[in-house]
Amino acid sequence: MAVNRDKKEPVIEVQDICKTYFMPGGMSQSVLKHVSFDVMPGEFVAIMGHSGSGKSTLMNILGCLDRPTSGVYKLAGKSVSDKTDAELAEIRGREIGFVFQNFNLLMKRTIADNVSLPLIYQGVSEAERHERAVQMLHKVQLNGYEDRLPTQISGGMQQRVAIARALINNPKIIFADEPTGNLDSKTSDEIMDLFTALNKQGITIVLVTHEDDVADYAERMIKIGDGRKVYDGLRAEYQKDEE
Ligand SMILES: Nc1ncnc2c1ncn2[C@@H]1O[C@H](COP(=O)(O)OP(=O)(O)O)[C@@H](O)[C@H]1O
Ligand SMILES: [Mg+2]
């Protein structure tokens, strides 16, 4: 039987997603409104939008940290909407790496311990955890730093540790929410070069940023305005005065 090996399935399918936050006292806020898009394997997508537009809310749904109020979200072809919290945690551990603005490192643990932390939940032995941490630190050019503490290295290096931690399970996708938000522009460029290299190796990257220079590294841009998708196309074709 002939198989068309070029035919790829989307790795992310967002279908008419809405998210409403319900506050105590009966108040509610509609934050995402009928958002739909697909992401194909190997894409590099920047999600942009003003502060408060719903970017982190969308990322939390994409990363299975939160659920939509309505609509369907499929990751790797499977609907995550009706999965249990335990199943979502399992999907997160297997398919996804996260990078955050504030690095989210354990400050009293060594860099190797921080990188190998996700493996603890899989019952990987201490010796193997250390070996894999050393391999990942090599990928982010931090070989030799495994026994230091996060407080002993720069912010850019801390973010590279966080990226090494995100890579430890060989994820298909990396979600990064404002990963350069706490870094100077030269260090931001180094981090973005690292994401570009990982993307060239086949990892799908979805990154939230409000900085134009950072978004320029992505091929595709999705812009969120007041909870709605207001642009979805090539970053290079985006006209900053449209909207
Ligand atoms: N857990 C929450 N409960 C209630 N409101 C929230 C919660 N998280 C975010 N919001 C509100 O949703 C809106 C969008 O927030 P967010 O997704 O963080 O936007 P962005 O990342 O684009 O700045 C904001 O008005 C914010 O106050
Ligand atoms: Mg945010």
Side-chain angles (χ1 to χ4, degrees), residues 21 23 29 31 49-58 177-178 208:
Y21 289 115
M23 268 78 79
Q29 187 185 357
V31 174
H50 296 299
S51 181
S53 58
K55 303 182 298 296
S56 291
T57 298
L58 177 59
D177 193 349
E178 307 268 10
V208 162

Side-chain angles (χ1 to χ4, degrees), residues 141-160:
Q141 277 108 44
L142 282 178
N143 20 323
Y145 285 85
E146 42 280 350
D147 296 330
R148 306 252 194 126
L149 294 172
T151 46
Q152 296 170 322
I153 60 173
S154 69
M157 287 171 158
Q158 289 185 43
Q159 191 60 301
R160 272 152 54 200

